[in-house]
Amino acid sequence: WWARFKRDGMRGLPSKRYAEVSLSVPLMGVRLVAKLDLLAVEPGKRVVIVDYKTHKKQTPKTLKTRLQTRVYRYVVARAGASFADGLPVQPEQIEMRYWFAADSKPSVTLDYSQAEYEADERYLTALVEEVLTRTDFPKTDDLSRCQFCTYRSLCDRGQVGGAIDAQETDD
């Protein structure tokens, strides 16, 4: 996979590239944070979010609904200007590219739109509102969801994480 990455992993990306970028935006009085593997920018034209994965490839449909996809694209639309020479980043300029190291055709690219941006803002606002207004947070009955949780030991649901291949599936 390393040889394939060296050959193809950065192909087609804008030349301004920023590795390990953290961006945040305010949302309902809290900070929404995105930690990007790579942000490639052609100011005023195109912004590519690249996320590297070592587990099995997922379908575009599954990737599009992931919270990571929704948060990353939304945050870049709101806060990406600092990497685009101060120019605002429109949703239509954003694409998110997942690069799967273990796959022979490793990349999946997801475009973004104003309609998706607005839907993501509603969805993320509702999630934040739910967290801010809840008074209790019951444990899940689905213990398989706990195997990758950083805090599973606090709930007496294990000390050791599961196999990474089992973490994300095409539900």
Side-chain angles (χ1 to χ4, degrees):
W1 70 262
W2 180 244
R4 189 173 52 253
F5 173 76
K6 285 177 26 180
R7 185 186 69 237
D8 302 327
M10 302 290 256
R11 183 178 294 167
L13 293 178
S15 59
K16 286 180 89 169
R17 298 172 184 165
Y18 306 92
E20 301 295 326
V21 171
S22 290
L23 290 173
S24 70
V25 297
L27 186 65
M28 296 194 59
V30 299
R31 302 299 297 175
L32 186 60
V33 178
K35 294 189 177 193
L36 315 173
D37 291 342
L38 182 72
L39 187 65
V41 181
E42 187 176 351
K45 295 184 179 178
R46 186 170 165 233
V47 176
V48 183
I49 304 161
V50 181
D51 193 74
Y52 303 105
K53 298 292 186 194
T54 55
H55 56 77
K56 77 174 195 163
K57 190 172 181 179
Q58 297 179 19
T59 67
K61 181 181 177 184
T62 299
L63 291 168
K64 196 165 219 158
T65 61
R66 291 190 71 221
L67 190 57
Q68 178 184 23
T69 301
R70 297 182 89 165
V71 168
Y72 282 21
R73 295 187 308 176
Y74 177 79
V75 169
V76 168
R78 291 210 30 215
S82 58
F83 291 91
D85 296 341
L87 298 171
V89 176
Q90 301 303 319
E92 290 81 3
Q93 296 173 317
I94 297 170
E95 65 184 67
M96 183 153 180
R97 183 181 300 178
Y98 283 97
W99 200 86
F100 293 89
D103 199 278
S104 61
K105 294 181 181 174
S107 67
V108 173
T109 299
L110 305 172
D111 293 327
Y112 204 34
S113 70
Q114 184 66 34
E116 289 172 305
Y117 170 84
E118 291 168 6
D120 288 345
E121 184 167 62
R122 288 189 301 273
Y123 178 75
L124 295 170
T125 298
L127 284 179
V128 171
E129 185 173 39
E130 180 181 353
V131 169
L132 292 176
T133 58
R134 271 194 166 209
T135 56
D136 78 337
F137 294 87
K139 295 178 190 177
T140 181
D141 292 328
D142 181 358
L143 297 181
S144 69
R145 299 185 64 120
C146 301
Q147 66 181 330
F148 301 102
C149 177
T150 303
Y151 307 103
R152 68 187 161 273
S153 64
L154 299 176
C155 299
D156 295 322
R157 293 189 169 189
Q159 300 290 324
V160 179
I164 195 70
D165 289 345
Q167 182 176 10
E168 299 182 34
T169 61
D170 291 338
D171 295 328

